[in-house]
Amino acid sequence: MQFNTIDALVRKFYMLKEKGFVANSNYKEDLQKILSEEEFTMFNTMFEQDSIDKAIDNVKHSYTAGYAKKQCVINILSEPKITQIASVLLKGSQTDALEKAIRLREHTDKASIIFLEFMRSIEDKLLTFLTSRINNFPSNISPDNFTQTLARKEISLSNVARYFGGDFEKAYLGDKGVGKTYFDFLTCQVLEKHKFMRTEDVQRLLLVFIWNSLPTFLSKTRFTSVGSVH
């Protein structure tokens, strides 16, 4: 794992705290259920630092402090644990947190914001479109297979973009993928309404969508922990 990767991932966790995304007041207790004692201690020490620079330096120091600590850093900053940790912190989040996460990209990924704005402006039409297609799904589709259901061509965003065309399709083509998560969540909500997804699966995906939508930096001028500018 490279230092710039560690830098980016620690910044993303710190973003959760700085921007008020931590919705689970019992996150420490819940983290101890999924992390080893060493992993929890390392994450908690990093997360409670009073500045992003100190948090990054703390993790980098651990990474170079012998095999055991290096492996511990790799564990908490790699899948599946990194998403599990983020989901624990985000547990209890509502839909508006997803939009908030995407909007943090205003100065680094304007295309995603433009696409989000288009989806919000025609959200009722999008829901109507999704409902009309999902109404035709076979009634025996199991909620256990929601991953395959989400991938069905009839409700794919590319199909929706072609249907609406014009500026909406142009915004879709310009999006880097982050704006798409808002549409994915709308789709999950309609599938849940039609009993093709379980509420707990929709909520779990919402937390993942929020985490994946968070930017690492809030501007294109990036100050690293050693003060250089990118």
Side-chain angles (χ1 to χ4, degrees), residues 35-134:
L35 300 178
S36 69
E37 183 177 349
E38 294 78 8
E39 289 168 346
F40 173 76
T41 299
M42 181 175 292
F43 178 83
N44 193 53
T45 301
M46 175 272 290
F47 199 62
E48 293 197 340
Q49 295 296 321
D50 58 13
S51 76
I52 182 61
D53 289 345
K54 289 181 181 178
I56 293 171
D57 290 343
N58 177 269
V59 175
K60 288 182 177 179
H61 176 75
S62 296
Y63 189 76
T64 57
Y67 177 79
K69 288 190 174 183
K70 178 179 181 179
Q71 192 58 47
C72 196
V73 171
I74 293 172
N75 288 346
I76 64 176
L77 295 182
S78 301
E79 296 296 352
K81 282 191 175 176
I82 189 169
T83 297
Q84 292 171 351
I85 293 170
S87 295
V88 166
L89 296 169
L90 290 162
K91 181 180 176 182
S93 297
Q94 302 300 311
T95 308
D96 60 347
L98 176 57
E99 182 175 350
K100 177 182 174 182
I102 297 172
R103 288 189 182 280
L104 286 177
R105 294 175 170 269
E106 181 179 3
H107 300 297
T108 59
D109 182 11
K110 191 67 175 179
S112 291
I113 307 299
I114 291 172
F115 189 42
L116 172 65
E117 295 284 3
F118 267 110
M119 287 187 286
R120 294 289 283 125
S121 68
I122 63 167
E123 188 165 320
D124 288 343
K125 292 180 180 179
L126 289 174
L127 292 171
T128 299
F129 177 94
L130 289 168
T131 299
S132 68
R133 280 16 181 215
I134 291 172

Side-chain angles (χ1 to χ4, degrees), residues 173-203:
L173 293 172
D175 177 45
K176 295 180 180 178
V178 179
K180 178 183 182 296
T181 59
Y182 190 82
F183 174 81
D184 289 340
F185 185 66
L186 290 180
T187 305
C188 288
Q189 289 180 308
V190 179
L191 289 174
E192 178 190 11
K193 184 176 180 181
H194 287 76
K195 310 300 182 185
F196 292 131
M197 280 189 75
R198 298 185 179 92
T199 300
E200 57 267 31
D201 290 323
V202 175
Q203 182 65 19

Side-chain angles (χ1 to χ4, degrees), residues 3 7 11 52-54 56-57 60 222-230:
F3 276 170
D7 185 289
R11 284 180 182 278
I52 182 61
D53 289 345
K54 289 181 181 178
I56 293 171
D57 290 343
K60 288 182 177 179
R222 305 171 183 180
F223 294 88
T224 71
S225 57
V226 293
S228 58
V229 180
H230 297 271

